[in-house]
């Protein structure tokens, strides 16, 4: 809870453009985050500190923290944050007028970002396939339910038809019997 509270304060200070206080709050949370071994949170804090230093135009310190964020992201195999930190590093290098290094970082950012896009598209396609399979199963269940219902309705209709036919046959036989009896009575 304390780590979350420190993060909220750091974010509030950052939004108020009090970057020194934001850096201080983020730095104070780092030892606790290291104890939890939450690599993503640690990388995020390093990235937040680097961003604040960039805005304070303290580019050397910003590079130090963005490198730390990138190291933690690589170590934890966090592709999305690593992509963001390459972009941040490219912006810092550009502000330092180190254009070749900035360009190299942008190339790495572009390459990672493209792979993220491909990966997200693959996940989207897999999700669509899962949804399609689920809808297909629902349709099968509905068809089977409808077929079962139709079969039951047909059986009921057949029973009614059989009863009706039996009634007509009984009436016909009764009529024939009465006719034969009347004929026999008249003949006698």
């Amino acid at each position: 809870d304390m780590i979350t509270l420190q993060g909220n304060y750091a974010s509030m200070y950052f939004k108020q453009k009090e970057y020194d206080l934001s850096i201080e709050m983020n730095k104070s949370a780092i030892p606790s985050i290291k104890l939890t071994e939450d690599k993503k949170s640690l990388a995020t804090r390093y990235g937040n500190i680097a961003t604040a230093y960039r805005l304070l135009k303290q580019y050397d310190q910003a590079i130090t923290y963005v490198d730390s964020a990138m190291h933690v992201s690589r170590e934890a195999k966090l592709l999305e944050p690593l992509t963001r930190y390459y972009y941040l590093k490219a912006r810092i290098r550009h502000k330092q007028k180190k254009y070749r290094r900035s360009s190299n970082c942008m190339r790495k950012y572009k390459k990672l970002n493209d792979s993220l896009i491909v990966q997200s598209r693959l996940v989207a396609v897999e999700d669509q396939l899962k949804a399609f399979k689920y809808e297909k199963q629902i349709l099968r269940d509905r068809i089977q339910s409808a077929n079962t219902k139709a079969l039951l309705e047909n059986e009921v209709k057949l029973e009614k038809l059989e009863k009706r036919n039996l009634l007509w046959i009984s009436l016909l036989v009764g009529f024939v019997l009465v006719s034969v009896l009347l004929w026999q009575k008249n003949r006698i």
Side-chain angles (χ1 to χ4, degrees):
D1 290 341
M2 191 60 156
I3 294 170
T4 304
L5 183 63
Q6 288 170 323
N8 291 341
Y9 272 115
S11 176
M12 179 188 68
Y13 288 138
F14 188 86
K15 288 179 183 175
Q16 293 175 350
K17 298 184 180 182
E18 295 182 27
Y19 303 121
D20 290 331
L21 291 173
S22 177
I23 290 169
E24 183 182 320
M25 290 307 295
N26 277 314
K27 282 183 177 179
S28 67
I30 287 175
S32 302
I33 294 171
K34 284 182 178 177
L35 290 175
T36 64
E37 297 181 7
D38 183 358
K39 300 289 185 184
K40 186 173 184 179
S41 182
L42 184 61
T44 300
R45 294 301 170 105
Y46 283 141
N48 292 345
I49 293 169
T51 302
Y53 275 129
R54 181 182 65 83
L55 294 169
L56 289 172
K57 298 181 181 175
Q58 296 176 10
Y59 302 122
D60 292 331
Q61 289 161 321
I63 287 293
T64 302
Y65 279 96
V66 81
D67 283 341
S68 297
M70 291 168 70
H71 174 73
V72 171
S73 296
R74 270 191 222 101
E75 194 176 84
K77 298 179 182 172
L78 302 170
L79 188 60
E80 191 270 328
L82 182 62
T83 305
R84 278 185 286 133
Y85 300 137
Y86 268 114
Y87 181 73
L88 177 59
K89 189 171 182 177
R91 291 176 66 190
I92 295 168
R93 292 294 189 195
H94 187 267
K95 290 288 187 181
Q96 290 178 314
K97 298 186 189 311
K98 296 181 179 178
Y99 301 117
R100 179 164 285 159
R101 289 183 177 180
S102 176
S103 177
N104 290 338
C105 288
M106 280 307 282
R107 280 191 205 109
K108 290 178 182 176
Y109 161 76
K110 176 83 169 98
K111 185 178 178 182
L112 288 172
N113 194 46
D114 289 348
S115 67
L116 278 176
I117 291 169
V118 168
Q119 187 178 18
S120 68
R121 287 180 182 163
L122 287 174
V123 168
V125 168
E126 287 175 4
D127 289 345
Q128 287 177 344
L129 285 173
K130 286 178 187 175
F132 175 72
K133 287 178 183 177
Y134 179 70
E135 289 174 8
K136 190 176 175 182
Q137 184 61 42
I138 288 174
L139 285 173
R140 280 185 186 153
D141 292 345
R142 285 182 182 168
I143 289 170
Q144 187 177 6
S145 175
N147 287 342
T148 305
K149 194 173 185 181
L151 286 173
L152 290 174
E153 288 174 357
N154 284 342
E155 286 180 24
V156 169
K157 286 179 183 177
L158 283 174
E159 285 179 18
K160 287 181 181 178
L161 188 61
E162 286 175 358
K163 288 180 182 178
R164 196 176 315 141
N165 287 344
L166 184 61
L167 177 68
W168 283 109
I169 290 172
S170 300
L171 285 174
L172 185 62
V173 168
F175 180 73
V176 168
L177 280 174
V178 170
S179 299
V180 167
L181 286 175
L182 286 175
W183 181 70
Q184 281 293 338
K185 185 179 178 188
N186 286 335
R187 198 178 108 203
I188 294 180

